[in-house]
Amino acid sequence: MIYFVPKGSVVREIWGKGDTILFIFAGAAAEFALNKAVDWLYFTGRLPKDPLGRLFSTVGYARQIVFSEQDAAHRAIDTMAKIHAGVEAKRGMAIPDWAYRDVLFMLIDYSIRSYELLERKLTLLEKEEVFEVFSRVGTRMGLTGLPTDYQAWLTMRQEHLEQNLVQSHFTRDLFQQYKKHLGLVRYHVLLQAQILVVPQTVNFMLKLGRVSLVAPLLPVYKFSQKLKLDWVLKTLLLPNAYMAQIKELDKAPASASVPKAA
């Protein structure tokens, strides 16, 4: 059986750990709020209504693709493309290719940043592997203008950060929604986690700060994982409504069923 991502790949290791995924989630939550195309996510009204669910849906698609055999992964990607095409038809305009690339670039960047924060530094070959997997996702979706290799991606990623982010009323509203759905304490934990993982450009625009109060707690959290006590901390820091979904993050998807569209 041919898998979209071969067994033994570091990409499977990254996307098979709930802790890493939650930091990917935190970084994407920050950058989504600044993206010039975030209005597309407001178009259906589902993002402000349930921002955590919307981000879990994005993570769900990514994990389904990573752990599926190739044909099933292609079907999941094709379904995702059809959903976006349906939104475009309703709005009467096309989502720009750069906006699609931004999402892919976030998945690449935060996969690397989150894993290196919690586990170890990746080799250049492993970083290229992360890039290659999500590049194939973009190619399957029919995106144009994708970088040809990891080094080209580094340059384009920085250009996108400089050109495609802006503070807007969507930014302020989305962070208000995060606060509403997380609660005040968990919301501030999210902000502290974002300091650790987002690029400097994102941090500067959101005024997150230079020093994270969460940083000194990371060694304690890693030790709690060895004692199997990390679940206690997750229960304290994350909304109960998402506990079942969070538990699933530590498991490879059992089948190639496509997640429900958000």
Side-chain angles (χ1 to χ4, degrees):
M1 183 177 291
I2 300 175
Y3 286 91
F4 190 79
V5 179
K7 291 185 176 181
S9 167
V10 72
V11 179
R12 280 177 170 253
E13 187 176 349
I14 292 169
W15 284 86
K17 293 186 176 182
D19 304 313
T20 308
I21 294 170
L22 288 173
F23 270 91
I24 295 172
F25 176 104
E31 193 167 327
F32 264 129
L34 289 170
N35 195 277
K36 288 181 179 179
V38 73
D39 60 297
W40 277 97
L41 297 178
Y42 270 77
F43 176 68
T44 62
R46 290 174 179 171
L47 178 65
K49 183 179 179 181
D50 185 12
L52 303 183
R54 182 63 178 77
L55 286 167
F56 266 113
S57 177
T58 300
V59 166
Y61 270 106
R63 276 170 48 80
Q64 199 63 58
I65 292 165
V66 166
F67 290 100
S68 290
E69 54 88 17
Q70 186 164 278
D71 288 343
H74 285 170
R75 287 195 295 272
I77 296 169
D78 293 345
T79 298
M80 186 166 54
K82 288 179 182 177
I83 291 171
H84 286 96
V87 174
E88 290 175 325
K90 289 180 180 178
R91 194 172 182 182
M93 57 190 297
I95 300 172
D97 261 11
W98 60 260
Y100 282 114
R101 289 196 299 269
D102 278 346
V103 175
L104 283 179
F105 289 4
M106 277 189 265
L107 293 174
I108 295 168
D109 199 2
Y110 292 120
S111 292
I112 294 170
R113 288 172 179 270
S114 300
Y115 188 80
E116 290 194 330
L117 177 68
L118 295 174
E119 302 292 336
R120 60 173 175 82
K121 292 295 182 182
L122 293 171
T123 66
L124 176 59
L125 189 63
E126 288 172 327
K127 292 178 182 179
E128 289 173 342
E129 190 176 340
V130 175
F131 162 79
E132 187 271 339
V133 165
F134 288 104
S135 181
R136 283 192 284 122
V137 173
T139 299
R140 180 72 186 186
M141 290 185 70
L143 303 188
T144 61
L146 292 173
T148 55
D149 55 34
Y150 176 73
Q151 293 301 323
W153 171 79
L154 285 174
T155 300
M156 191 176 291
R157 168 63 169 159
Q158 188 57 41
E159 291 173 350
H160 275 229
L161 287 170
E162 293 171 359
Q163 298 171 8
N164 298 345
L165 303 183
V166 66
Q167 271 273 9
S168 69
H169 68 279
F170 292 116
T171 309
R172 293 183 290 275
D173 181 72
L174 194 49
F175 271 85
Q176 285 298 319
Q177 296 304 322
Y178 293 155
K179 183 186 294 185
K180 174 183 175 182
H181 287 82
L182 284 170
L184 186 61
V185 174
R186 290 167 176 153
Y187 171 72
H188 282 290
V189 171
L190 171 66
L191 297 181
Q192 297 302 310
Q194 288 172 339
I195 292 172
L196 293 173
V197 75
V198 300
Q200 185 176 353
T201 304
V202 175
N203 187 320
F204 178 77
M205 295 183 72
L206 292 173
K207 297 180 174 59
L208 294 173
R210 294 183 179 181
V211 180
S212 171
L213 299 178
V214 171
L217 300 178
L218 285 181
V220 177
Y221 185 76
K222 291 177 183 180
F223 183 69
S224 75
Q225 289 178 303
K226 295 179 181 179
L227 298 178
K228 306 298 183 183
L229 296 175
D230 56 308
W231 182 247
V232 176
L233 295 176
K234 288 178 184 177
T235 302
L236 293 173
L237 297 175
L238 297 161
N240 291 332
Y242 295 94
M243 283 297 112
Q245 290 166 283
I246 293 163
K247 286 181 180 180
E248 290 299 312
L249 295 181
D250 284 315
K251 305 174 186 177
S255 67
S257 60
V258 177
K260 183 179 179 182

